[in-house]
């Protein structure tokens, strides 16, 4: 843990940043110390990302002071920030897909051997050492394209560690990691802290903040609120400071009558991914697929929707069989699918919010062979209002929204189709506590209206708080089916980490 006399490594005092008339940061203070892991928490829009980008050299502050190891700094580029010893791991991976893992780790700083040639052997050897240190087995020679989000995050972490930075900033690095991978990352973070580095950790997961971090700084609406030792506070106190109000119910689960089966899956099999998967989801029911990253949960969901193929089994919706590998037919039958990676698979970031919301119902808006802006906006407005999407205008690009509002836009797109079944993969990944509560409330309301919901989540509190039934997967197989009363942290994690024959009936 942090010692009382730990020296400041990085200090920001009275830092402000505006974009035109919009004030993104007001008089922010932050002190990162050696031998310490410092959490910065706040809702989306609190100013956390702006603060990080100032430290990374992407933005230049308007007012205030910025010191590194007691010396004033004034970064004008990310290269200057990196050269000064600051490494940032952003929430969204930024790898070059056509380059190898090794090339991504050493991008822009390749070691040179004899005759001025890049020393690829040295690069590969160091990447192997980094992967061993992280406890993972990723082939250094494989291209980054096709890697899971979890593996992409691991490569970003390896890149930052290889820089041997004095300050390491982790912006939601665990958003797509399993519990085992998170603990592995935390072990590395603690070892870096013990070596004397200063770490800054941004997360919406309070269990991570309280288990890993020594100090917590709270921000709200672009302003600094408070800095407290982790040992001297608790979750309710932090939430009050973050949102300016009490959030008594993060999981506002409404008891809904459970109806007839809407989705029936029987014997679904895809070699190497999952085998013999059978389950039902009923009207008014939220069923959670739980398990560690790599268990096959997302793959099952994608197969049900028709995005990915399967070689055996059957999927029925309202009693009628669905054709394989045909998302268009799945949509027509009444399935909506909110993918795990909303930025890459759920949204067209350069397109308007209205265009994204109406993307799945555009055929209904055609009049005389064209879709008018008025018709598009009218259809989008209903769902933007229902989900409380916070935006200046519906013609704003979706990519400019916060993560929470982007998730609401993806939800709006599929709810506009009036589905019978909604598949939602990681519904609150990377969004703040206040927006999580809003998304959970809306999911619960939809179930109360008779919608069948299949939810994939890596957050155990979300699974336990929202699901009527929990289906647990381990290495491509279902290992347990638990009622809401039976689902506890122990029963879910036991089933998620043991082979089927080891799980008690």
């Amino acid at each position: 843990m942090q010692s009382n006399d730990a020296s400041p490594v990085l200090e920001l005092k009275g830092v402000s940043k505006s974009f035109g008339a919009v004030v993104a940061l007001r008089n922010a203070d932050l002190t990162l110390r050696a031998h310490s892991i410092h959490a910065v928490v706040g809702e989306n829009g609190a100013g956390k990302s702006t603060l990080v980008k100032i430290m990374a050299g992407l933005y230049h502050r308007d007012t205030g002071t910025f010191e590194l190891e007691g010396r004033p700094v004034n970064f004008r580029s990310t290269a200057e920030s990196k050269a000064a010893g600051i490494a940032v791991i952003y929430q969204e991976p930024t790898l070059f897909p056509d380059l190898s893992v090794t090339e991504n780790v050493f991008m822009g700083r390749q070691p040179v051997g004899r005759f001025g040639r890049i020393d690829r052997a040295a690069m590969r050897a160091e990447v192997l050492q980094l992967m061993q240190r992280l406890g993972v087995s990723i082939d250094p020679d494989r291209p980054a394209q096709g890697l899971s989000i979890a593996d992409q995050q691991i490569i970003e972490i390896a890149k930052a560690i290889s820089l041997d930075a004095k300050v390491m900033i982790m912006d939601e690095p665990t958003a797509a990691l399993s519990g085992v991978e998170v603990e592995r990352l935390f072990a590395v973070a603690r070892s870096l802290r013990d070596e004397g580095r200063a770490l800054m950790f941004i997360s919406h997961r309070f269990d991570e903040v309280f288990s890993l971090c020594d100090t917590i700084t709270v921000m709200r609406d672009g302003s600094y609120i408070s800095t407290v030792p982790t040992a001297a506070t608790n979750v309710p106190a932090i939430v009050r400071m973050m949102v300016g109000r009490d959030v008594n119910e993060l999981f506002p689960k409404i008891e809904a009558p459970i109806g007839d089966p809407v989705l029936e899956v029987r014997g679904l099999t895809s070699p190497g991914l999952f085998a013999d998967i059978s389950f039902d989801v009923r009207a008014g029911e939220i069923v959670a697929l739980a398990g560690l990253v790599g268990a096959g949960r997302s793959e099952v969901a994608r197969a049900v929707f028709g995005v990915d193929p399967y070689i055996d089994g059957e999927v029925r919706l309202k009693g009628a069989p669905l054709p394989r590998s045909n998302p268009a037919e799945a949509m027509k039958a009444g399935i909506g699918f909110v993918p795990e990676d909303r930025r890459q698979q759920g949204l067209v970031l350069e397109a308007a919010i209205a265009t994204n919301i109406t993307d799945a119902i555009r055929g209904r808006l055609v009049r005389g062979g064209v879709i008018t802006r008025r018709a598009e906006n009218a259809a989008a407005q209903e769902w933007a209002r229902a989900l409380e999407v916070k935006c200046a205008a519906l013609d704003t690009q979706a990519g400019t929204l916060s993560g929470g509002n982007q998730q609401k836009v993806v939800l709006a797109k599929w709810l506009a189709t009036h589905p019978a079944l909604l598949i939602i993969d990681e519904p609150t990944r990377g969004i703040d506590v206040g927006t999580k509560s809003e998304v959970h409330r809306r999911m619960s309301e939809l179930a109360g209206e008779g919608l069948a919901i299949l939810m994939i989540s890596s957050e155990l509190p979300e699974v336990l708080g929202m699901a009527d039934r929990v289906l647990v997967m381990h290495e491509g197989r279902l290992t347990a089916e638990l009622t809401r009363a039976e689902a506890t942290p122990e029963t879910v994690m036991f089933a998620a980490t043991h082979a089927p024959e080891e799980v008690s009936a």
Side-chain angles (χ1 to χ4, degrees):
M1 298 297 286
Q2 172 190 347
S3 61
N4 292 331
D5 59 351
S7 58
V9 176
L10 182 150
E11 288 188 281
L12 297 172
K13 294 181 180 178
V15 172
S16 298
K17 177 65 179 176
S18 297
F19 299 92
V22 178
V23 179
L25 208 58
R26 299 180 186 86
N27 298 315
D29 292 347
L30 179 69
T31 300
L32 303 183
R33 298 180 181 275
H35 296 283
S36 176
I37 304 177
H38 193 122
V40 176
V41 301
E43 295 191 84
N44 289 114
K48 305 185 302 296
S49 294
T50 302
L51 198 66
V52 169
K53 289 173 181 176
I54 288 173
M55 290 187 279
L58 281 167
Y59 294 162
H60 187 258
R61 66 193 183 279
D62 296 332
T63 65
T65 62
F66 183 1
E67 293 185 355
L68 191 65
E69 296 185 312
R71 297 186 301 274
V73 293
N74 192 28
F75 299 139
R76 296 289 182 173
S77 69
T78 56
E80 288 185 12
S81 175
K82 289 178 182 177
I86 297 176
V88 184
I89 305 163
Y90 291 105
Q91 177 181 340
E92 300 293 340
T94 55
L95 303 182
F96 292 90
D98 296 329
L99 299 184
S100 71
V101 169
T102 297
E103 289 167 330
N104 270 284
V105 170
F106 281 93
M107 175 54 58
R109 54 188 185 90
Q110 297 89 341
V112 177
R114 295 181 62 189
F115 311 113
R117 294 186 177 182
I118 294 173
D119 191 341
R120 297 187 180 277
M123 289 165 54
R124 189 179 190 279
E126 183 169 340
V127 170
L128 277 173
Q129 289 180 345
L130 286 168
M131 294 305 168
Q132 289 171 357
R133 181 176 180 180
L134 289 169
V136 297
S137 55
I138 299 176
D139 184 355
D141 301 319
R142 71 155 292 169
Q145 189 169 24
L147 286 171
S148 67
I149 292 177
D151 283 347
Q152 291 180 53
Q153 288 281 11
I154 288 291
I155 293 166
E156 292 281 16
I157 292 161
K159 187 191 304 183
I161 293 171
S162 72
L163 289 168
D164 197 28
K166 295 185 281 288
V167 176
M168 184 176 293
I169 301 167
M170 298 182 176
D171 188 358
E172 294 282 357
T174 65
L177 304 185
S178 70
V180 172
E181 291 165 327
V182 168
E183 282 305 316
R184 181 175 57 218
L185 169 63
F186 284 7
V188 172
R190 291 182 182 110
S191 69
L192 294 171
R193 176 195 64 192
D194 295 343
E195 292 170 6
R197 304 175 204 269
L199 280 76
M200 174 173 158
F201 183 75
I202 297 175
S203 178
H204 294 301
R205 298 176 176 176
F206 291 123
D207 56 339
E208 295 181 352
V209 168
F210 278 82
S211 68
L212 178 67
C213 300
D214 308 303
T215 309
I216 303 173
T217 288
V218 182
M219 299 183 68
R220 183 174 75 238
D221 297 331
S223 297
Y224 167 84
I225 301 300
S226 181
T227 296
V228 293
T230 306
T233 189
N234 54 40
V235 172
I238 295 296
V239 170
R240 279 194 298 273
M241 287 189 280
M242 282 175 56
V243 302
R245 64 187 188 277
D246 284 310
V247 179
N248 296 320
E249 186 59 74
L250 293 179
F251 306 105
K253 175 69 174 159
I254 299 171
E255 295 300 323
I258 306 300
D260 295 328
V262 174
L263 175 70
E264 298 171 88
V265 176
R266 296 291 180 268
L268 214 61
T269 299
S270 180
L273 296 176
F274 52 83
D276 196 24
I277 303 296
S278 299
F279 64 90
D280 296 340
V281 183
R282 297 174 177 271
E285 185 179 38
I286 299 176
V287 173
L289 268 180
L292 305 180
V293 171
R297 301 164 303 157
S298 295
E299 290 79 3
V300 168
R302 288 167 60 85
V304 168
F305 188 61
V307 176
D308 292 345
Y310 54 92
I311 65 164
D312 199 12
E314 183 181 41
V315 178
R316 288 179 171 268
L317 195 77
K318 293 184 174 179
L322 284 179
R324 300 181 187 183
S325 306
N326 196 327
E329 286 299 316
M331 290 170 58
K332 189 184 300 183
I335 300 180
F337 180 58
V338 179
E340 174 186 10
D341 189 344
R342 58 178 173 261
R343 292 177 63 86
Q344 297 296 324
Q345 301 168 1
L347 293 170
V348 180
L349 297 175
E350 297 79 13
I353 295 167
T355 303
N356 274 280
I357 291 177
T358 57
D359 184 52
I361 59 166
R362 301 189 74 75
R364 303 178 192 173
L365 305 180
V366 175
R367 296 293 183 271
V370 298
I371 300 175
T372 66
R373 178 70 59 83
R374 182 177 179 180
E376 184 179 75
N377 284 343
Q381 184 66 48
E382 174 188 355
W383 292 103
R385 187 182 296 116
L387 287 171
E388 300 178 4
V389 176
K390 296 171 184 174
C391 61
L394 289 175
D395 58 2
T396 305
Q397 286 189 354
T400 65
L401 296 174
S402 68
N405 281 298
Q406 287 180 7
Q407 185 73 329
K408 290 180 183 180
V409 169
V410 182
L411 275 170
K413 174 175 74 173
W414 289 109
L415 294 178
T417 68
H418 297 286
L421 170 75
L422 180 66
I423 302 173
I424 181 165
D425 196 347
E426 302 292 357
T428 59
R429 182 175 74 88
I431 63 178
D432 62 78
V433 63
T435 307
K436 278 186 179 183
S437 184
E438 292 175 25
V439 171
H440 291 148
R441 174 181 54 79
R442 187 58 182 151
M443 287 173 60
S444 192
E445 290 172 352
L446 290 166
E449 294 166 8
L451 182 65
I453 298 176
L454 177 63
M455 176 183 79
I456 297 96
S457 177
S458 299
E459 295 193 29
L460 192 52
E462 185 170 63
V463 168
L464 301 177
M466 294 303 298
D468 297 292
R469 277 188 300 128
V470 179
L471 307 174
V472 189
M473 292 188 66
H474 170 79
E475 295 184 354
R477 291 185 178 273
L478 283 175
T479 56
E481 178 176 340
L482 306 168
T483 66
R484 185 172 176 83
E486 294 169 336
T488 65
E490 293 76 19
T491 57
V492 172
M493 289 308 298
F494 184 83
T497 54
H498 290 68
E501 61 269 18
E502 296 174 290
V503 178
S504 58

